[in-house]
Every structure is written in structure tokens, then in C-alpha cells.
């Protein structure tokens, strides 16, 4: 697979997002299936693995540590802090955003143990805790760099202005935000800021949380599927959005690729500094995604894609009101 720069690292153009293994889209996959997928990704040339303390409240990091620690030198490891599971009064873990320096450092120590490694290559602030100055949170991550616990710092779901403030404290290697044909928020300002500062851009949910793979049965979503809380997938908005798919699927058919490959290839064509990290629980989908790196799209096809699938045509916000308050990304007027 072609290689791209992820901060100071050279990695596969398409990485693997490891949230799906245990978090957000239904029941966790059996450990044997997780092991099979992780090893298949390495064998197929993926060298960029992205996880977080939040995913399964540590389960995703644990799986990577259990199954890939002996192969640690073969891939670049990214994880995240600042959004974790904390026990409530009933002892049930709930999601908490906490960017205090002491919390970030403690989370890193826990992650190192779960991942069975001495150092995390790229460590992101998963969410900016707006009650803590970004300078303080990034300062704590800079301490972890100096201590040799992490090699580079990343940010997730922040604005161009926040990126610049953070970068003034310590160089930011990568910024991660949702980006796909139907989610264009990064195009407002943060992509340009990344390019001015030399920051790699990692695109999560590059397949539109499955939307860009073809029609979905939203009624069949698992009860814990996070898409149930996302306006675009609700009965009020999804029928309209599903109506955009035929024109998009027609382009994929004409190009001779799968809808997922078309979405990933479009992202790769947006710039050499963009690194998509699709997630999956199926090896066959993994193979399909990877093939997108070899797909060349003509200017005419790229123009058609922009016309048939963009955020101006989509109905509904990507997050509900609570999640929108928690992120710092720019939104179109």
C-alpha cells in the first residue's frame, strides 16, 4: 500500500480505526474475531492502528495489547485520552470528558499497561475539556513526550483556532476529525490550518458511519448503536438522506468499485496529508477498504461526486445537541 506521513511517521495511506471491535455499533465481536481482524490488517499492509481509552472503556486497547504486542515494531500505534469511562455512584462506568493534566497522565499510564508497550507513538486529546485551558492539557501531553511515554501529540474534534493555540505550546503532529463526502466540516477552516502548520489530518468515520456503503436498515440497529442518537439516521432525516444514495451508487458502478472504495478514494484524492481510518469487524470489508488506495479517480468523477453527495444536500446534523456542545469543530452557517 502507498505510504503517507502521519506526523513524523510513515504509515499506510489507509489505517484501521479500532472502535468497532468493542464500542458504539452494537455488541463487541468475539475475541477470536478481533484477533483475526487485527492480524489480517497487519498482513494486508496496514501499519496505522488507531484506538482510545474510551473504546469499550479500555477493551480496544486491551485487545491490541493482547494480540499485537509481540508485533509492536511493525505498526504505528495511536491512542487517545481525555474522554474515558469513570464509575458512577452505582459503580457503572459512564463517559466523562476530563482534560486535567493529572487525569491525562494517569490515563496514559493505564493505556501503556493495557497496550503492553513502553511508548505510544501518537497520543491524542480525544476531546478538549472546555473547563481546562487547551494550553494546560497540551502541556501535560508535552510532559509525556519529554518523559518518553509518547512520541507525538494529536488533537481530535477541535477548531482551527484551538489547534493554533495548542501548537504554540507544543508541535501537534496530527488532528483527527470526522470527514467524508457527507461531512465536510474540516473544509471550513481546520484543513487549511493543518496545512499551514504542517499537521497531518486523520479522517475518522470516512464511510459516513456506514451510510456511504449503501442503504441501511435503521430499524435494525442494535439498541446500543450510537447512530440511534445521531439525527441523520433518525426517521425524521434518514429517508431524505437515503434518497441521495442512488446517484452516488451509480458513480461507484460506473467506476467499477464498491461504494466504500469510492468514498475512501475520494478522501485520498483530497490531499496527500489526509489519512482515512475506516473501522470494520469483517476481514472481507477490510480487504475491500484497502483496495481503495489503488483507485484513481478522474477530475470528472470527483466533480460528479461533489455534486451528488455533500453536506449541503444532507438532512440533519452529524451529532445530537449534547455531542455538538462537546466538540469544538467549526460548523457551516
Amino acid at each position: 500500500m502507498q505510504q503517507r506521513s502521519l506526523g513524523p511517521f510513515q504509515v499506510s495511506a489507509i489505517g484501521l480505526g479500532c472502535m468497532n471491535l468493542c464500542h458504539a455499533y452494537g455488541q463487541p465481536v468475539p475475541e477470536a474475531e478481533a484477533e483475526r481482524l487485527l492480524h489480517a490488517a497487519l498482513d494486508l499492509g496496514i501499519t496505522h492502528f488507531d484506538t482510545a481509552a474510551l473504546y469499550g472503556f479500555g477493551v480496544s486497547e486491551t485487545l491490541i495489547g493482547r494480540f499485537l504486542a509481540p508485533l509492536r515494531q511493525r505498526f504505528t500505534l495511536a491512542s487517545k485520552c481525555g474522554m474515558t469511562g469513570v464509575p458512577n455512584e452505582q459503580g457503572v462506568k459512564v463517559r466523562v470528558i476530563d482534560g486535567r493534566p493529572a487525569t491525562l497522565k494517569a490515563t496514559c499510564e493505564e493505556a501503556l499497561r493495557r497496550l503492553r508497550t513502553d511508548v505510544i507513538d501518537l497520543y491524542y486529546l480525544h476531546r478538549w475539556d472546555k473547563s481546562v485551558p487547551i494550553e494546560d492539557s497540551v502541556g501535560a501531553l508535552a510532559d509525556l513526550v519529554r518523559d518518553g511515554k509518547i512520541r507525538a501529540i494529536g488533537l481530535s474534534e477541535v477548531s482551527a483556532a484551538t489547534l493554533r493555540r495548542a501548537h504554540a505550546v507544543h508541535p501537534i503532529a496530527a488532528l483527527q476529525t470526522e470527514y467524508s463526502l457527507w461531512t465536510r466540516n474540516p473544509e471550513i477552516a481546520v484543513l487549511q490550518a493543518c496545512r499551514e502548520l504542517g499537521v497531518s489530518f486523520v479522517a475518522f468515520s470516512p464511510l459516513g458511519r456506514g451510510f456511504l456503503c449503501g442503504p441501511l436498515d435503521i430499524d435494525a440497529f442494535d439498541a446500543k448503536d450510537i447512530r440511534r442518537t445521531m439525527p441523520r439516521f433518525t426517521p425524521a432525516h434518514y429517508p431524505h438522506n437515503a434518497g441521495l444514495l442512488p446517484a452516488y451508487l451509480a458513480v461507484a458502478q460506473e467506476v467499477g468499485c464498491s461504494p466504500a472504495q469510492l468514498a475512501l478514494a475520494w478522501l485520498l484524492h483530497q490531499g496527500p496529508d489526509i489519512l482515512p481510518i475506516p473501522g470494520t469487524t469483517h476481514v472481507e470489508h477490510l480487504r475491500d477498504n484497502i483496495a481503495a488506495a489503488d483507485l484513481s479517480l478522474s477530475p470528472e468523477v470527483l466533480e460528479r461526486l461533489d455534486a451528488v453527495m455533500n453536506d449541503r444536500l444532507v438532512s440533519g446534523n452529524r451529532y445530537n445537541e449534547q455531542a455538538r456542545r462537546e466538540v469544538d469543530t467549526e460548523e457551516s452557517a
Side-chain angles (χ1 to χ4, degrees), residues 1-17:
M1 195 190 304
Q2 62 175 274
Q3 303 293 293
R4 293 193 168 190
S5 295
L6 176 63
F9 314 104
Q10 288 295 303
V11 301
S12 53
I14 296 174
L16 179 66

Side-chain angles (χ1 to χ4, degrees), residues 263-291:
L264 293 171
W266 177 84
L267 267 173
L268 293 172
H269 281 67
Q270 301 311 300
D273 53 345
I274 294 176
L275 300 98
I277 50 167
T280 184
T281 58
H282 301 285
V283 173
E284 58 269 30
H285 293 168
L286 187 68
R287 296 180 191 276
D288 187 72
N289 291 343
I290 289 170

Side-chain angles (χ1 to χ4, degrees), residues 11-89:
V11 301
S12 53
I14 296 174
L16 179 66
C18 298
M19 181 174 75
N20 302 48
L21 297 176
C22 61
H23 187 84
Y25 293 110
Q27 297 302 312
V29 301
E31 286 196 1
E33 288 299 307
E35 181 179 17
R36 179 169 173 257
L37 184 84
L38 291 170
H39 281 281
L42 263 185
D43 292 341
L44 290 167
I46 289 180
T47 59
H48 175 197
F49 288 75
D50 182 280
T51 184
L54 177 72
Y55 303 160
F57 297 146
V59 172
S60 179
E61 289 180 330
T62 299
L63 292 172
I64 291 173
R66 183 175 301 155
F67 300 130
L68 296 186
L71 307 169
R72 181 68 180 84
Q73 300 306 312
R74 291 178 54 185
F75 64 94
T76 296
L77 175 61
S79 194
K80 308 179 194 74
C81 61
M83 185 159 61
T84 56
V86 176
N88 62 14
E89 293 179 355

Side-chain angles (χ1 to χ4, degrees), residues 92-123:
V92 178
K93 284 189 176 182
V94 295
R95 183 176 65 92
V96 171
I97 296 174
D98 185 347
R100 292 174 296 174
T103 301
L104 302 185
K105 292 178 180 180
T107 303
C108 181
E109 295 293 342
E110 295 164 359
L112 290 168
R113 288 193 291 271
R114 287 191 292 260
L115 291 162
R116 303 186 187 185
T117 187
D118 295 327
V119 61
I120 298 169
D121 297 314
L122 175 60
Y123 206 42

Side-chain angles (χ1 to χ4, degrees), residues 95 97 127 130 226 228-232 234 237 316-329 331:
R95 183 176 65 92
I97 296 174
R127 288 290 185 275
K130 297 174 185 178
I226 58 171
R228 287 189 175 274
T229 70
M230 295 178 171
R232 292 180 178 183
T234 61
H237 298 282
N317 290 303
R318 67 189 183 104
Y319 284 144
N320 61 24
E321 286 303 315
Q322 177 183 337
R324 289 175 72 188
R325 289 193 298 270
E326 291 175 347
V327 299
D328 179 49
T329 46
E331 291 189 351

